[in-house]
């Protein structure tokens, strides 16, 4: 008996045009509602939430909608003595939030307000003998953390501070028979991990190790009849994979293998046309996470009302060029 495909149905009542003004209002107002339940329970994500919101606004050409000085002051107070950053004041430092902090400060051209040397020292302390990186003092190894460390050092122009060859060697040990990557050697292929591993190889100019056609085929199989993308087989489509999958395809030069019109329709259908914002799929609650990745996905699909996004750093391409960062992208 054939397995049923898990998917959603798009109806004629769902949005088909982009509500940029509404999305700008939604992101601008989000951080001001500090007594809202949704805001309070996401404290453990706060610094990344600011990055998602600021990037969304930047892609819409509205970066000034957030109070720059209060954001920078908050980030400064999230840096610990070890040099790493926590999600919010009083939380433990982690590489996930360290990258978010550096991305925000790069967008604001304000890296000089933090102790960069301590941040570099913190990142160096996370690399293990096999080249992998842990996320914090508790020792979990994950290719996401390797990406965060490599991307952070690239933003600081300090890639030479860690053993890049060993880091690449570890990433390649996580490659699976299907061309994809997992979080550790032998782990299941997942679109999010693929993005992270390709990002590492792109930053370090090592994409020649990738089996681009095999991997591109696996990524394209993530598109469902609705047009949406999932992160692995037998899962529902989710707007965030419009970033993880599309960015990966862009990096390996296979983005044209996706049905762009159907994916665009799915992303647009996931908007809330009253409040603004994107949800994971049509009819669900919107949030800043899916909003930035919905906008970034539309940018990768060629929507010219949104700034061009860099497929490795998820920041505007203009900014990446301005700071002189070079990433490797494959061609078909």
């Amino acid at each position: 008996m054939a397995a049923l495909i898990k998917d959603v149905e798009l109806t004629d009542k769902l949005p088909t045009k982009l509500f940029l003004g509404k999305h700008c209002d939604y992101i601008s107002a989000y951080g001001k509602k500090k007594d809202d339940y949704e805001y309070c329970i996401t404290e453990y994500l706060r610094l990344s939430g600011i990055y998602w919101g600021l990037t969304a606004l930047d892609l819409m050409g509205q970066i000034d909608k957030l109070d720059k000085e209060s954001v920078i002051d908050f980030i400064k107070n999230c840096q610990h003595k070890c040099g790493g950053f926590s999600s919010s004041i009083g939380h433990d430092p982690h590489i996930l939030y360290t990258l978010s902090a550096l991305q925000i400060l790069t967008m604001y051209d304000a890296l000089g307000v933090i102790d960069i040397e301590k941040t570099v020292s913190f990142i160096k302390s996370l690399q293990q003998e096999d080249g992998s990186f842990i996320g914090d003092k508790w020792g979990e190894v994950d290719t996401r953390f390797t990406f965060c460390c490599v991307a952070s050092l690239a933003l600081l122009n300090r890639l030479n501070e860690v053993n890049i060859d060993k880091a690449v060697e570890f990433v390649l040990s996580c490659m699976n028979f299907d061309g994809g990557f997992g979080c550790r050697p032998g782990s299941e292929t997942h679109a999010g991990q693929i993005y992270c591993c390709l990002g590492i190889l792109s930053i370090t100019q090592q994409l020649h190790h990738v089996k681009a056609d095999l991997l591109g085929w696996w990524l394209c199989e993530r598109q469902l009849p609705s047009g949406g993308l999932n992160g692995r087989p037998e899962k529902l489509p989710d707007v965030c994979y419009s970033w993880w999958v599309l960015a990966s395809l862009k990096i390996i030069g296979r983005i044209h293998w996706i049905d762009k019109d159907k994916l665009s329709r799915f992303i647009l259908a996931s908007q809330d046309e009253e409040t603004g914002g994107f949800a994971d799929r049509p009819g669900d609650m919107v949030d800043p996470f899916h909003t930035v990745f919905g906008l970034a996905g539309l940018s990768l699909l060629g929507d010219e009302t949104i700034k061009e996004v860099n497929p490795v750093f998820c920041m505007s391409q203009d900014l990446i060029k301005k700071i002189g960062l070079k990433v490797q992208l494959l061609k078909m």
Side-chain angles (χ1 to χ4, degrees):
M1 184 177 178
L4 294 175
I5 296 176
K6 295 181 179 180
D7 200 2
V8 298
E9 183 179 352
L10 303 186
T11 68
D12 293 337
K13 295 182 180 180
L14 293 169
T16 57
K17 66 177 184 178
L18 182 60
F19 301 100
L20 277 183
K22 291 282 188 180
H23 301 320
C24 182
D25 292 343
Y26 166 71
I27 293 294
S28 300
Y30 187 83
K32 298 175 183 177
K33 301 176 181 178
K34 292 182 170 56
D35 293 329
D36 282 7
Y37 175 75
E38 181 185 0
Y39 184 87
C40 292
I41 65 169
T42 55
E43 182 182 31
Y44 71 101
L45 293 171
R46 185 72 65 237
L47 198 51
S48 289
I50 295 172
Y51 156 70
W52 299 330
L54 190 66
T55 301
L57 290 172
D58 189 26
L59 292 177
M60 293 186 286
Q62 301 288 337
I63 195 171
D64 293 334
K65 290 291 185 178
L66 289 188
D67 182 14
K68 176 179 176 179
E69 295 308 316
S70 63
V71 169
I72 291 176
D73 187 60
F74 176 76
I75 291 174
K76 287 165 61 178
N77 284 303
C78 288
Q79 186 171 29
H80 288 246
K81 291 181 180 179
C82 66
F85 292 80
S86 55
S87 62
S88 192
I89 298 168
H91 290 239
D92 291 338
H94 196 286
I95 190 57
L96 292 173
Y97 310 113
T98 299
L99 174 58
S100 293
L102 297 177
Q103 288 173 304
I104 295 165
L105 294 175
T106 298
M107 283 188 270
Y108 279 141
D109 191 20
L111 284 170
V113 305
I114 61 168
D115 191 327
I116 291 176
E117 294 306 318
K118 283 189 175 180
T119 299
V120 171
S121 178
F122 170 72
I123 296 170
K124 288 173 64 176
S125 73
L126 300 176
Q127 189 168 30
Q128 307 300 293
E129 288 186 10
D130 64 354
S132 66
F133 285 84
I134 56 177
D136 59 14
K137 64 182 181 181
W138 302 110
E140 181 186 5
V141 171
D142 192 309
T143 46
R144 290 178 303 154
F145 307 152
T146 301
F147 171 74
C148 290
C149 288
V150 169
S152 294
L153 291 173
L155 289 172
L156 296 173
N157 195 26
R158 301 287 289 272
L159 276 174
N160 61 309
E161 297 284 352
V162 296
N163 191 329
I164 289 297
D165 290 340
K166 292 288 287 185
V168 169
E169 183 180 324
F170 172 75
V171 167
L172 295 177
S173 74
C174 298
M175 186 187 295
N176 292 322
F177 70 93
D178 52 18
F181 296 84
C183 60
R184 289 180 294 275
S187 295
E188 176 188 13
T189 292
H190 189 283
Q193 308 296 151
I194 289 171
Y195 162 78
C196 290
C197 292
L198 290 180
I200 296 159
L201 298 176
S202 172
I203 292 169
T204 59
Q205 308 290 308
Q206 296 293 317
L207 283 174
H208 59 277
H209 293 291
V210 175
K211 301 172 183 176
D213 283 345
L214 182 63
L215 176 56
W217 182 257
W218 189 94
L219 289 166
C220 288
E221 285 188 322
R222 306 281 58 79
Q223 188 162 36
L224 298 168
S226 66
L229 302 168
N230 61 20
R232 53 196 169 110
E234 302 305 319
K235 296 295 182 179
L236 285 168
D238 188 317
V239 162
C240 72
Y241 291 109
S242 304
W243 171 253
W244 312 118
V245 173
L246 269 191
S248 297
L249 285 167
K250 179 71 173 179
I251 291 170
I252 63 172
R254 305 297 190 275
I255 196 169
H256 57 288
W257 287 8
I258 283 285
D259 187 326
K260 294 185 178 182
D261 291 338
K262 289 184 71 174
L263 177 54
S264 179
R265 172 77 178 90
F266 175 83
I267 297 173
L268 293 173
S270 301
Q271 300 174 101
D272 189 316
E273 52 192 314
E274 293 184 6
T275 67
F278 290 78
D280 56 353
R281 57 190 65 92
D284 286 354
M285 182 78 72
V286 301
D287 59 69
F289 175 83
H290 289 93
T291 299
V292 68
F293 293 132
L295 291 169
L298 290 172
S299 174
L300 287 172
L301 290 170
D303 190 319
E304 295 183 354
T305 63
I306 305 168
K307 286 184 183 180
E308 181 183 358
V309 67
N310 182 275
V312 175
F313 287 92
C314 197
M315 300 162 72
S316 75
Q317 181 64 20
D318 287 344
L319 176 60
I320 296 300
K321 287 182 178 178
K322 180 181 177 181
I323 62 177
L325 264 181
K326 296 186 185 299
V327 297
Q328 181 185 22
L329 302 179
L330 295 182
K331 295 182 179 180
M332 184 69 176

